[in-house]
Structure formats: structure tokens, C-alpha cells
């Protein structure tokens, strides 16, 4: 073998190693690596993709709008059928997905967050991920994303995992809010990713008041007359773990604004 051929082979192998390392670091915390690479932990499902071929999808029915384009989601998201979306309760949950049955599949798992609903025909399958074009392409071997996307519908394997974001819980105020009505979407939730209960308290209140889920990750509260904030918010996940973000929503809060806490779930 000539020196040039040896060099080319070395570069190809090195590129593959770097791709795999990047994929695993981008989509999966190291402490989940061993568990999620164990094939016995995965179950069968179906995956399709929507939007532009390399697009980031949308926050759709979960109320996250275009925030899914940016960190910590970075477009690695999916719409889910009824068994994943669960009438909005599944918003924010995280899964590892991998494909092995197509020649273009890398066989390595990616982590995606449920941020939208895939209704209709998606419910003909028990579990159906409708991935962003970007996420779908990340299931492929280097340089073969377009080839895999051409398949349209593929068999995949999936497993539920804990969410781990390098970010704090944030709330985005709905554009239709006013002084007497708060509606906010919750983002970047670690752990289960699934918020089961939210309570709110204004400065000077002693009891916590319950907010109501309106749709997806959007929760609402009718503000008592004369209440101005700031508001503290207590988040409780599916596993009954709670954290409190004190004075998260400032006194001068405004519709459409996003407010970051200094806490997150484990």
C-alpha cells in the first residue's frame, strides 16, 4: 500500500472517530453512555421527519415556538404520536433514538426532546417519532444524511432517558398575557423533563396557588386584582421532586419575554 493510500485511510478512520465522539458528546451525557448503548434497553418504534432537510423543527403543540432552534435544544427535537405526546404531558421528555436497519444508519443513538405532537397517521404506530430534519440526519453515517432522509420512514429503536441540559429552567410569557392573566411556557427542565404541577406565589402571599396546564408546556393563572409581583414559581415533576424559583417573574414582567431561574431539577 502506498504512503498516500495509508494516509487517506488514516484520515478516514480519524474522521469517523471524531464524528462518533462528537455525536455522543452532543446528544448524550457520559453517565448515560453505557446504559443507552446496551441494545436490551431499547424498544422498536418508527421515525419520519418533517420540515426542511436540515431544519430544527418547531415547538408547536408544546408552546416552545422557535426556541427549539437554540440551546439547549439545538434542533434535536421530535414531534410524538399520542403515546409520546400524552395530551401535552409528554412535552419536554427525552429519548435516545437510533437506527440500524438502513445501510445509511450509523447505529449510534441521538438524544431528542418531545416538543410537538404528530397526530393522525402517526397514531397508526404504537410509538412514532416525527423528527426534525436535522435530528433525522444525525441518525445517519457521516455524509449520508440525505440518503437516509430519502427513505422517509424508517424503523428505529428508542429508550426513555433523563434530560440533562446545561441551562436553568426558564419561562416564556405568552404574547396574550396581561396584568390579570399569566400564561407561560416552561423550558429546559432536567430530570423527567415532564412537569406535573406548577404553583405560583406573589410577594406577600403565604399560600401557593396552583396554575393550570392549558396546552403542552403552557400553564396559566388568573391573577387576583391588585397583585403585581414579583412571582415565585414552584415546579414539581412526574417523580414528585420540587424546586422553587424565587422571584422568577419580575414585578415589571412583559408579554413575550423570557425569564431564567437559577435552579433546575437533578
Amino acid at each position: 500500500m502506498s504512503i498516500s493510500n495509508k494516509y487517506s485511510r488514516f484520515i478516514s478512520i480519524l474522521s469517523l472517530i471524531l464524528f462518533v465522539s462528537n455525536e455522543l458528546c452532543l446528544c448524550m451525557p457520559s453517565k448515560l453512555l453505557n446504559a443507552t448503548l446496551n441494545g436490551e434497553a431499547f424498544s422498536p418504534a418508527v421515525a419520519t421527519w418533517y420540515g426542511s432537510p436540515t431544519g430544527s423543527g418547531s415547538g408547536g403543540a408544546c408552546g416552545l415556538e422557535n426556541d427549539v432552534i437554540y440551546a439547549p435544544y439545538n434542533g434535536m427535537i421530535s414531534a410524538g404520536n399520542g403515546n409520546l405526546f400524552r395530551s401535552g404531558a409528554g412535552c419536554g421528555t427525552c429519548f435516545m433514538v437510533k437506527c440500524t436497519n438502513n445501510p445509511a444508519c450509523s447505529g449510534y443513538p441521538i438524544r431528542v426532546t418531545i416538543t410537538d405532537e404528530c397526530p393522525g397517521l402517526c397514531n397508526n404506530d404504537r410509538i412514532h417519532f416525527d423528527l426534525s430534519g436535522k435530528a433525522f440526519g444525525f441518525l445517519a453515517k457521516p455524509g449520508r444524511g440525505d440518503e437516509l432522509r430519502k427513505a422517509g420512514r424508517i424503523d428505529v429503536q428508542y429508550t426513555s432517558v433523563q434530560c440533562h441540559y446545561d441551562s436553568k429552567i426558564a419561562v416564556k410569557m405568552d404574547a396574550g398575557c396581561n396584568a390579570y392573566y399569566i400564561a407561560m411556557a416552561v423550558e429546559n427542565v432536567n430530570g423527567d423533563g415532564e412537569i406535573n404541577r406548577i404553583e405560583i406565589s406573589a410577594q406577600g402571599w403565604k399560600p401557593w396557588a396552583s396554575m393550570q396546564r392549558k396546552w403542552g408546556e403552557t400553564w396559566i393563572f388568573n391573577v387576583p386584582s391588585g397583585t403585581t409581583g414579583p412571582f415565585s414559581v414552584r415546579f414539581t415533576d412526574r417523580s414528585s421532586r420540587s424546586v422553587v424559583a424565587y422571584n422568577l417573574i419580575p414585578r415589571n414582567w412583559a408579554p413575550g419575554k423570557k425569564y431564567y431561574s437559577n435552579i433546575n431539577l437533578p
Side-chain angles (χ1 to χ4, degrees):
M1 182 181 294
S2 69
I3 293 176
S4 60
N5 287 341
K6 287 181 179 179
Y7 180 78
S8 297
R9 184 179 180 186
F10 170 77
I11 293 298
S12 297
I13 293 173
L14 180 60
S15 297
L16 178 60
I17 291 172
L18 291 174
F19 171 83
V20 171
S21 299
N22 181 62
E23 289 291 284
L24 294 178
C25 291
L26 172 65
C27 305
M28 174 179 0
S30 58
K31 67 181 180 179
L32 295 176
L33 178 57
N34 291 336
T36 55
L37 287 180
N38 178 359
E40 295 179 357
F42 286 80
S43 300
V46 169
T48 51
W49 62 278
Y50 72 100
S52 65
T54 58
S56 296
S58 75
C62 290
L64 303 186
E65 300 178 328
N66 290 329
D67 288 356
V68 298
I69 298 174
Y70 311 106
Y73 303 107
N74 296 310
M76 299 300 289
I77 58 91
S78 179
N81 70 348
N83 288 330
L84 292 172
F85 185 71
R86 293 185 286 115
S87 299
C91 288
T93 52
C94 294
F95 294 88
M96 289 293 180
V97 181
K98 65 179 180 178
C99 71
T100 57
N101 291 342
N102 185 294
C105 291
S106 73
Y108 289 95
I110 63 170
R111 187 184 70 188
V112 296
T113 303
I114 299 298
T115 63
D116 202 351
E117 180 182 15
C118 184
L121 294 178
C122 287
N123 289 303
N124 290 343
D125 304 304
R126 189 180 69 83
I127 298 293
H128 188 122
F129 293 89
D130 195 24
L131 299 161
S132 68
K134 177 180 179 178
F136 198 93
F138 268 64
L139 292 171
K141 294 174 182 176
R144 300 183 70 176
D146 287 338
E147 179 183 344
L148 188 62
R149 279 186 285 262
K150 286 179 181 178
R153 173 189 168 98
I154 60 173
D155 292 326
V156 295
Q157 298 169 24
Y158 80 101
T159 187
S160 175
V161 295
Q162 295 282 285
C163 299
H164 293 274
Y165 300 119
D166 186 20
S167 186
K168 303 300 184 182
I169 292 177
V171 296
K172 185 173 183 178
M173 312 305 288
D174 188 84
C177 288
N178 57 54
Y180 304 101
Y181 173 75
I182 286 177
M184 64 186 195
V186 185
E187 304 182 5
N188 317 336
V189 179
N190 278 348
D192 295 338
E194 177 182 333
I195 293 296
N196 189 53
R197 185 171 71 254
I198 296 181
E199 297 154 292
I200 190 168
S201 177
Q203 192 172 41
W205 291 2
K206 290 186 178 179
W208 289 94
S210 295
M211 299 189 73
Q212 304 298 316
R213 186 193 299 272
K214 186 174 183 181
W215 72 85
E217 283 282 42
T218 298
W219 296 71
I220 62 174
F221 179 68
N222 292 316
V223 182
S225 179
T227 303
T228 57
F231 296 92
S232 297
V233 183
R234 180 160 64 190
F235 303 92
T236 302
D237 71 2
R238 181 180 58 204
S239 298
S240 299
R241 295 172 297 191
S242 296
V243 290
V244 177
Y246 292 101
N247 300 326
L248 173 58
I249 303 173
R251 181 184 180 91
N252 61 339
W253 66 270
K257 294 289 186 179
K258 184 187 290 189
Y259 301 104
Y260 284 87
S261 72
N262 59 0
I263 53 91
N264 211 324
L265 287 152

